Amino acid sequence: MCYRRAVRFILPLFLTFALGCGVPVSGTDASITDDAGVSPDDAGPGDAGGTTGDAGSTDAGPSDAGGADAGPGDAGTPDAGPLPDGGPAFTLVTVSSPRELRGVWVASVSNLDWPTSSTLSADAGRASLVALVDSMADAGLNALFFQVRPESDALYPSTLEPWSRFLTGTQGQNPGWDPLEEVITLAHARGLEVHAWMNPYRGLVSASSQTATNHVTRTLSSAAITYDGKVVMNPGVPAVRQHVEAVVDDLLTRYDVDGLHFDDYFYPYPDAQNTPFPDATTYSAYQADGGTLAKADWRRENVNTLVREVMGLITSNHPQVRFGVSPFGIWKSGTPAGITGLSAYDAISCDAVTWMNQGWVDYLAPQLYWPRGGAQDFIKLSTWWAQGTRGGRNLFAGLATYRLGSSSSWTLAEYRAQVQQLRDLGGDTRGAIHFRAGNIKSNLLGVATLLGGDLYAKPALTPVLPRMGASVAPAVPFVSVVGRALSVTDPQPQMVRFFALYKDLGGGQWELTQVRGGAQVTFDVTPGAWAVSAVGRGGAESQGVRVVVP
């Protein structure tokens, strides 16, 4: 269902409920929106299909939340003071908490994470999604990077691309339900963002797969290149880029996702024989049309154009959606000094440094799938990437959960140290994305226990979207006390992603204890002072409504 249509239906109902029923204990003028605070300016997600590429959490200060996002002027005049029946007093307070993205890649390709099988019924599929979301929330994560386009297909109903075979076993076969809509509802209710993870150029994981008649390898068959047993859509063909952008715009128009994410499949990783990618004809056509770039530069420019145009599309049409890419963890071999390995810049035409410098991404999530020390030292690489962030853009490092136990280097102690390293870097390094969900769900070597019981034991909101004007704080919520529970709604539900519950520690200190989403949320509380804020799309936060529960 189109979420914009849903919002238009829900908003009048909630305004009627909030303003016409019972006693609104807090709220705002529903017309006040523009005075809210504005934010300033065979590994890895892409390797889930089998590439040769082998390659946490962060410190965050209060400046990106609470008072920095919303001042007193964003909330109208609250209903402060005791209720008519002598109930508790409600006041507005400034709340904030450290921000940290705690993401996880959920791979659908080859049924790695979800769906767990291509023969699941609709009921079984829904049940497995519930279990997945619950396990990720219990591990303290706050963002799912859900693979919706593993091979130019869709895990949602689309007129542009066929249903994924990983849902039903047959590409183009309707599973009878909408997994993307379902996971958005489930995840938001548990306080997790949903980022649509797309592979931009992969046509087929296996060149021998049967395809639907509307699959891009058929509709743009002249641009479909078989390489290393797979099918790649030629990045040098403008129609390929235009198709990807149409798919992006369609999905972001119809689904209320929090982000769009590209993995590291651009030009394909070299095969075992280092066979040149067969695009000589396309390059010759470019030259015949007056192009002067060398072939390697031309390839990088083809990828650059896609990234640049997707950011332009998002900025224009979907400004509150976060856009980022997870490149291979080494930009160039020898950079920084002492690092050796495959060069993403040369091997797959991936120039992530330019994307960051030009502001074409909101974040980078380099796949840093190595331990500390050695020729791909995690400390050196994470430090170098962190130093390259620009204009408030973020670094969310990709961490190799899947490697735990694979060698003596990969222990829980190593994993803990990597998360701590990212936190110590501070600045615009604001989190991590873990590969992959199945390893956390199975509690590989106890990693879910480490995350949920220790490293992520306290909840966190994700960083505010860094693009100027993309994050607007919503109005403060309506809060009602019902026994030992707080019932929360908002006068402008279309502006709100989550509600955040804070405990008053005294002395102006607040501790974030829960994050929930939905049109109406109930928080169970104990006697004491609490505050509830509204968190908008893009992460900006309203002031908190403080209430003392007797």
Side-chain angles (χ1 to χ4, degrees):
M1 179 177 69
C2 174
Y3 75 87
R4 290 190 175 92
R5 195 161 56 242
V7 164
R8 287 196 295 269
F9 173 75
I10 292 170
L11 178 58
L13 293 181
F14 273 91
L15 288 177
T16 299
F17 169 80
L19 299 176
C21 300
V23 179
V25 297
S26 179
T28 70
D29 181 344
S31 67
I32 298 176
T33 58
D34 294 334
D35 58 352
V38 178
S39 169
D41 80 317
D42 279 345
D47 304 322
T51 78
T52 58
D54 185 38
S57 304
T58 65
D59 175 52
S63 61
D64 61 352
D69 298 324
D74 66 355
T77 302
D79 293 315
L83 293 178
D85 62 358
F90 294 79
T91 56
L92 289 184
V93 294
T94 296
V95 292
S96 66
S97 61
R99 299 290 187 112
E100 179 176 69
L101 185 131
R102 303 167 175 178
V104 61
W105 281 293
V106 182
S108 60
V109 68
S110 303
N111 299 108
L112 285 178
D113 293 323
W114 193 93
T116 53
S117 165
S118 61
T119 61
L120 292 180
S121 67
D123 287 344
R126 289 188 181 95
S128 64
L129 264 187
V130 170
L132 174 72
V133 170
D134 285 348
S135 62
M136 297 304 104
D138 290 345
L141 300 168
N142 59 17
L144 302 182
F145 289 75
F146 191 72
Q147 191 174 31
V148 298
R149 189 182 191 258
E151 51 176 9
S152 297
D153 51 3
L155 268 73
Y156 58 94
S158 170
T159 60
L160 300 176
E161 298 193 303
W163 283 101
S164 175
R165 65 185 171 95
F166 301 120
L167 283 169
T168 63
T170 301
Q171 190 179 87
Q173 182 176 328
N174 191 334
W177 65 297
D178 186 343
L180 178 55
E181 182 177 28
E182 194 85 10
V183 77
I184 290 171
T185 300
L186 292 169
H188 285 168
R190 290 297 308 268
L192 284 81
E193 294 183 350
V194 176
H195 297 245
W197 164 18
M198 291 186 175
N199 184 289
Y201 294 120
R202 185 165 60 203
L204 292 170
V205 173
S206 171
S208 63
S209 296
Q210 297 297 307
T211 57
T213 56
N214 65 331
H215 192 250
V216 70
T217 57
R218 292 199 188 190
T219 60
L220 293 176
S221 58
S222 62
I225 297 177
T226 298
Y227 181 83
D228 196 22
K230 308 172 184 67
V231 178
V232 178
M233 299 309 298
N234 190 345
V237 176
V240 169
R241 181 178 73 252
Q242 292 158 7
H243 176 72
V244 172
E245 292 171 6
V247 169
V248 168
D249 195 37
D250 172 67
L251 184 146
L252 297 184
T253 297
R254 295 193 294 122
Y255 289 92
D256 193 13
V257 294
D258 301 279
L260 178 78
H261 180 80
F262 284 167
D263 59 22
D264 60 326
Y265 283 116
F266 299 103
Y267 279 81
Y269 282 88
D271 64 11
Q273 294 75 39
N274 206 29
T275 306
F277 183 65
D279 62 349
T281 300
T282 311
Y283 180 61
S284 295
Y286 160 78
Q287 290 179 306
D289 200 34
T292 60
L293 292 175
K295 192 172 188 178
D297 293 328
W298 166 75
R299 284 178 173 175
R300 278 186 290 271
E301 182 56 24
N302 290 332
V303 178
N304 289 351
T305 299
L306 175 68
V307 174
R308 180 177 64 247
E309 290 183 356
V310 167
M311 175 54 96
L313 183 157
I314 289 174
T315 301
S316 298
N317 300 348
H318 316 283
Q320 292 176 328
V321 171
R322 195 187 305 267
F323 175 49
V325 183
S326 53
F328 183 76
I330 300 174
W331 177 57
K332 291 182 180 180
S333 187
T335 303
I339 295 296
T340 60
L342 181 142
S343 169
Y345 183 87
D346 300 298
I348 59 174
S349 307
C350 172
D351 188 6
V353 170
T354 290
W355 307 339
M356 177 63 78
N357 288 344
Q358 296 297 322
W360 297 341
V361 292
D362 294 312
Y363 68 90
L364 291 175
Q367 297 170 36
L368 303 183
Y369 295 166
W370 303 281
R372 294 167 297 163
Q376 299 87 34
D377 179 27
F378 179 87
I379 300 295
K380 287 183 179 179
L381 283 167
S382 60
T383 301
W384 180 83
W385 283 104
Q387 290 169 346
T389 55
R390 297 286 187 275
R393 266 60 176 177
N394 293 132
L395 174 73
F396 306 136
L399 300 185
T401 312
Y402 76 100
R403 285 196 157 186
L404 287 171
S406 62
S407 73
S408 59
S409 297
W410 284 104
T411 63
L412 285 182
E414 173 66 26
Y415 205 65
R416 175 194 291 276
Q418 292 193 5
V419 171
Q420 189 58 52
Q421 157 70 3
L422 297 173
R423 286 175 166 165
D424 291 344
L425 285 172
D428 291 320
T429 302
R430 294 294 183 94
I433 310 176
H434 305 266
F435 187 77
R436 55 186 176 82
N439 306 117
I440 295 176
K441 190 172 185 297
S442 67
N443 199 19
L444 178 64
L445 289 191
V447 66
T449 303
L450 173 67
L451 295 177
D454 185 355
L455 297 176
Y456 296 162
K458 294 182 179 181
L461 296 170
T462 63
V464 175
L465 186 57
R467 273 179 278 116
M468 183 64 69
S471 300
V472 178
V476 297
F478 289 102
V479 181
S480 300
V481 178
V482 182
R484 291 291 184 266
L486 303 181
S487 179
V488 187
T489 61
D490 196 88
Q492 298 171 315
Q494 80 279 14
M495 296 285 291
V496 178
R497 171 61 75 232
F498 300 121
F499 296 108
L501 176 69
Y502 289 84
K503 183 172 181 56
D504 190 347
L505 301 180
Q509 299 298 306
W510 296 92
E511 181 181 77
L512 180 65
T513 62
Q514 291 187 59
V515 180
R516 299 277 304 278
Q520 182 172 1
V521 167
T522 299
F523 292 113
D524 293 325
V525 296
T526 56
W530 302 86
V532 180
S533 67
V535 182
R537 292 172 176 82
E541 187 174 17
S542 75
Q543 288 184 289
V545 178
R546 182 183 183 274
V547 57
V548 177
V549 178

